[in-house]
Amino acid sequence: MKVYSIDGITPVVDPTAYVHPTAVLIGDVIIGPGCYVGPAACLRGDFGRLELKKGANLQDTCVMHGFPGTDTVVEEDGHIGHGAVLHGCVIGKNALVGMNSVIMDGAVIGESAIVAAMSFVKASMDVPARTLVAGSPARVIKELTDKEIDWKSAGTRQYQELAIRSMNTMQEVEALTEVEADRPRLEVGIEGVVPKYKT
């Protein structure tokens, strides 16, 4: 990872968290235990504090930032999909933000809520707990079932396991020039399938 202090404030990364070497952490950034931060993620804590709490993940190419004096927080077991932008918002415990979504300043995503992929959550929107929101601008589509929340939690556990796998086995290597005979496949358990939401 690339880590930079600014104005004397240095990012903090718990020893049990995994931050990919291409991720960038600047200033007032706090990465909690068991977190996963993916390749090319950018956490720019040069105005306000950015925090990932225990077991949260922030996937590839995500951006976290905020206005001066604000906190941008992903609560425990929060799950931030590829390419999402979080700006001065709070993502509640066990909530999911789908790929390429944008969450604006002052928005609060409730506990165990899901923001569908490519959604735009307006500034100061309060997303109720256990709901699915979607669209641009996002609106509440439905309440989530226990099964849908269980599916979300299973996906987050996979990222918590990925943090451990990455710390234990990921290393920079040279690419092979051809596929080996009997090339092994990754043996990663898949819990459940992608739920189909009725809108």
Side-chain angles (χ1 to χ4, degrees), residues 17-97:
Y18 176 79
V19 180
H20 190 273
T22 61
V24 177
L25 312 181
I26 299 170
D28 196 0
V29 175
I30 301 170
I31 309 294
C35 289
Y36 173 88
V37 177
C42 179
L43 295 88
R44 187 158 66 85
D46 50 11
F47 289 159
R49 176 167 293 173
L50 313 178
E51 185 170 6
L52 298 182
K53 296 199 174 179
K54 181 180 179 182
N57 69 75
L58 187 80
Q59 298 170 23
D60 323 51
T61 73
C62 287
V63 173
M64 285 183 76
H65 194 239
F67 283 125
T70 63
D71 288 0
T72 305
V73 180
V74 180
E75 298 282 358
E76 184 174 338
D77 296 333
H79 188 109
I80 314 301
H82 316 287
V85 176
L86 308 181
H87 204 279
C89 56
V90 175
I91 310 303
K93 182 178 181 180
N94 199 47
L96 181 150
V97 174

Side-chain angles (χ1 to χ4, degrees), residues 132 134 139-145 148 195-199:
L132 170 69
R139 62 184 179 84
V140 176
I141 302 297
K142 60 171 267 183
E143 291 188 17
L144 293 168
T145 65
E148 289 163 337
K196 293 181 173 52
Y197 299 111
K198 294 181 182 176
T199 57

Side-chain angles (χ1 to χ4, degrees), residues 145-165:
T145 65
D146 289 343
K147 184 175 182 181
E148 289 163 337
I149 293 171
D150 289 346
W151 165 83
K152 181 271 159 199
S153 298
T156 299
R157 285 193 296 274
Q158 287 188 318
Y159 270 88
Q160 291 164 348
E161 292 164 6
L162 179 59
I164 296 168
R165 289 172 53 214

Side-chain angles (χ1 to χ4, degrees), residues 4 40 70 78 110 112 115 152 158 163 169:
Y4 302 90
T70 63
S112 297
V115 177
K152 181 271 159 199
Q158 287 188 318
T169 69

